[in-house]
């Protein structure tokens, strides 16, 4: 069943078109990430779902009912923000059940729901603490607890982990995911971090300049990006792109002095201007059967300990090669690199669409 349907949604701020004909269908119980560079409109879209922004045109339905014009409190959604926005003078328990007390829910229900949410989040022994006596991760859990006690149809997360340090982010990522698996409530999660989106979500919506560029499962986005933007945005380090031109017989010639050729056995119109995309982790030192060979020269080497990023010049362009471990290579070495034909991505240079 669909929990959220966003239909031809547009949002203008004066003359600025912030959301452009957005269409997204979100299944009940799924975890959806909205991801894209700063300013792409992901927070605006989330705030529109919450009822904090008015739409300019189009429809938003939650559980089959249009919510256009409905105030936030009538939408049965709970939002968790980047700033935890806890009341500093209230302890954890009172922060968590504030909305229920406001609605004058029965006392027993308030106690029971607060207790259950605190248990779910491991906050049981902190209920009497004030926010100033909590760590960043604990404050973020209280902010989530405040959303959980409301038992909403939909959770909306707006970059909830941005204020945490790297280690805590990774920890909270898996906590939120586990929580989702327990509660099974539909969740929409805004982040600019593609790794966060890929590791947490069942379905990822990639946005750019108010437009949904592609929506798919994380691995589909990685394996089959619809265009050069998505290909470059998903994956770390980012995909390498090289200008090339289609020759006859499915051969692609990299635009460089040496005119390196890649035989793909895929038909393109001869003379078509292309981008060739190769992920750093797909370029290898060792040939596999039927791999394509490409010559390159090492320009520098960066090691993180477990991974080595070898920067090479390939057909006159800078290219990153990711190698697990420590390859025996030095600056200035001439290398022969290999890549499987199915890992070579081809984009039309004009439209930037995948071919
Ligand atoms: P970030 O990751 O930086 O938060 P975002 O993808 O969440 O970015 P939004 O906050 O949704 O981006 O903003 C989308 C665009 O709409 C931006 O160009 C922003 O400047 C513009 N915008 C947002 N709110 C308003 C407003 N109240 N008035 C005018 N323009 C706005």
């Amino acid at each position: 069943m669909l929990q959220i349907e966003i239909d031809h949604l547009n949002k203008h701020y004066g003359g600025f078109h912030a959301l452009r004909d957005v269409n997204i269908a979100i299944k009940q119980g799924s975890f959806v990430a909205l991801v894209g560079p700063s300013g792409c409109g992901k927070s605006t879209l989330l705030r529109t779902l919450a009822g904090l922004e008015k739409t300019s045109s189009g429809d938003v339905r939650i559980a089959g009912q249009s919510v256009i014009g409905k105030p936030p409190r009538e939408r049965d959604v709970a939002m968790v923000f980047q700033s935890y926005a806890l009341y500093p003078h209230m302890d954890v328990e009172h922060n968590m059940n504030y909305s229920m007390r406001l609605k004058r829910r029965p006392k027993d229900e308030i106690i029971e729901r607060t207790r259950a949410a605190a248990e779910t989040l491991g906050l049981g022994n902190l209920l009497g603490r004030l926010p100033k006596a909590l760590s960043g991760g604990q404050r973020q859990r209280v902010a989530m607890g405040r959303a959980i006690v409301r038992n909403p149809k939909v959770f909306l997360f707006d970059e909830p982990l941005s204020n945490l340090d790297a280690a805590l982010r990774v920890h909270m990522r898996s906590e939120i995911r586990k929580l989702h698996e327990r509660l099974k409530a539909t969740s929409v999660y805004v982040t600019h971090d593609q790794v966060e989106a890929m590791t947490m979500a069942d379905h990822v919506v990639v946005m750019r300049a108010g437009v949904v560029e592609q929506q798919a499962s994380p691995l589909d986005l990685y394996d089959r990006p619809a265009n050069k933007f998505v290909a470059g945005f998903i994956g770390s380090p980012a995909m390498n792109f090289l200008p090339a031109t289609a020759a006859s017989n499915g051969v692609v010639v990299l635009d460089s002095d040496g005119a390196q050729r890649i035989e793909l056995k895929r038909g393109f119109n001869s003379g078509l201007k292309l981008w060739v995309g190769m992920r750093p982790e797909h370029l290898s030192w060792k040939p596999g059967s039927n791999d394509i060979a490409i010559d390159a020269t090492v320009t520098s080497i960066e090691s993180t300990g477990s991974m080595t990023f070898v920067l090479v010049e390939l057909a006159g362009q800078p290219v990153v090669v990711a190698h697990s471990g420590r390859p025996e290579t030095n600056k200035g070495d001439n290398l022969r690199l290999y890549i499987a034909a199915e890992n070579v991505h081809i984009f039309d240079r004009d439209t930037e669409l995948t071919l």
Side-chain angles (χ1 to χ4, degrees), residues 14 41 70 103 115 117 138 147 159 171-172 207 220 232 247 268 340:
K70 279 196 183 175
K103 284 187 182 158
R115 192 199 55 75
Q138 289 165 338
E159 305 239 16
H171 175 70
M172 288 302 289
M207 297 181 66
D220 264 356
F268 306 112

Side-chain angles (χ1 to χ4, degrees), residues 89-106:
H89 59 286
M90 282 183 205
D91 62 18
V92 168
E93 179 177 358
H94 289 85
N95 261 292
M96 277 172 59
N97 60 28
Y98 180 72
S99 67
M100 291 176 75
R101 287 187 284 120
L102 209 63
K103 284 187 182 158
R104 300 191 184 284
R105 303 299 305 168

Side-chain angles (χ1 to χ4, degrees), residues 309-348:
F309 301 112
V310 181
L311 283 80
V312 300
E313 190 177 285
L314 198 164
Q317 302 289 323
V319 162
V320 181
V321 181
H323 191 291
S324 63
R326 299 171 192 188
E328 282 181 20
T329 190
N330 295 301
K331 191 174 164 180
D333 282 357
N334 291 319
L335 294 177
R336 177 150 286 186
L337 295 168
Y338 299 90
I339 187 164
E342 66 265 25
N343 287 332
V344 177
H345 298 261
I346 302 288
F347 310 90
D348 184 302

Side-chain angles (χ1 to χ4, degrees), residues 27-229:
K27 282 193 205 133
Q28 187 175 27
S30 63
F31 195 115
V32 174
L34 305 180
V35 69
S38 182
C40 70
K42 48 198 188 299
S43 295
T44 301
L45 182 55
L46 198 76
R47 292 169 59 80
T48 304
L49 291 179
L52 300 170
E53 295 282 356
K54 280 193 182 140
T55 52
S56 304
S57 66
D59 198 11
V60 175
R61 291 185 292 281
I62 297 179
Q65 300 288 316
S66 177
V67 292
I68 298 295
K70 279 196 183 175
R73 65 179 181 282
E74 288 175 25
R75 295 188 176 207
D76 208 359
V77 301
M79 196 147 167
V80 181
F81 296 94
Q82 174 180 346
S83 63
Y84 321 122
L86 301 179
Y87 296 108
H89 59 286
M90 282 183 205
D91 62 18
V92 168
E93 179 177 358
H94 289 85
N95 261 292
M96 277 172 59
N97 60 28
Y98 180 72
S99 67
M100 291 176 75
R101 287 187 284 120
L102 209 63
K103 284 187 182 158
R104 300 191 184 284
R105 303 299 305 168
K107 207 167 180 188
D108 287 353
E109 185 191 330
I110 294 179
I111 291 171
E112 174 49 30
R113 281 220 233 157
T114 310
R115 192 199 55 75
E119 205 165 282
T120 303
L121 291 161
L123 291 170
N125 56 353
L126 298 175
L127 286 174
R129 287 245 192 121
L130 288 175
K132 68 178 180 202
L134 299 173
S135 70
Q138 289 165 338
R139 282 181 211 170
Q140 188 50 268
R141 277 206 286 263
V142 178
M144 284 194 277
R146 198 171 39 185
I148 291 172
V149 291
R150 294 177 51 197
N151 196 19
K153 281 201 190 82
V154 176
F155 285 99
L156 303 174
F157 294 94
D158 193 0
E159 305 239 16
L161 307 184
S162 309
N163 291 338
L164 305 179
D165 67 41
L168 195 52
R169 274 180 84 116
V170 173
H171 175 70
M172 288 302 289
R173 233 188 247 169
S174 73
E175 290 228 334
I176 293 179
R177 184 66 221 187
K178 274 192 235 152
L179 191 68
H180 173 74
E181 270 147 33
R182 231 175 303 154
L183 300 176
K184 297 196 167 36
T186 310
S187 301
V188 184
Y189 189 101
V190 161
T191 177
H192 62 269
D193 179 344
Q194 53 100 12
V195 176
E196 212 165 274
M198 296 285 280
T199 52
M200 294 176 79
D202 315 310
H203 190 78
V204 179
V205 178
V206 184
M207 297 181 66
R208 173 173 60 164
V211 173
V212 172
E213 292 283 342
Q214 189 173 3
Q215 40 183 323
S217 72
L219 293 184
D220 264 356
L221 284 180
Y222 179 89
D223 291 338
R224 285 177 284 281
N227 55 38
K228 181 172 176 261
F229 172 76

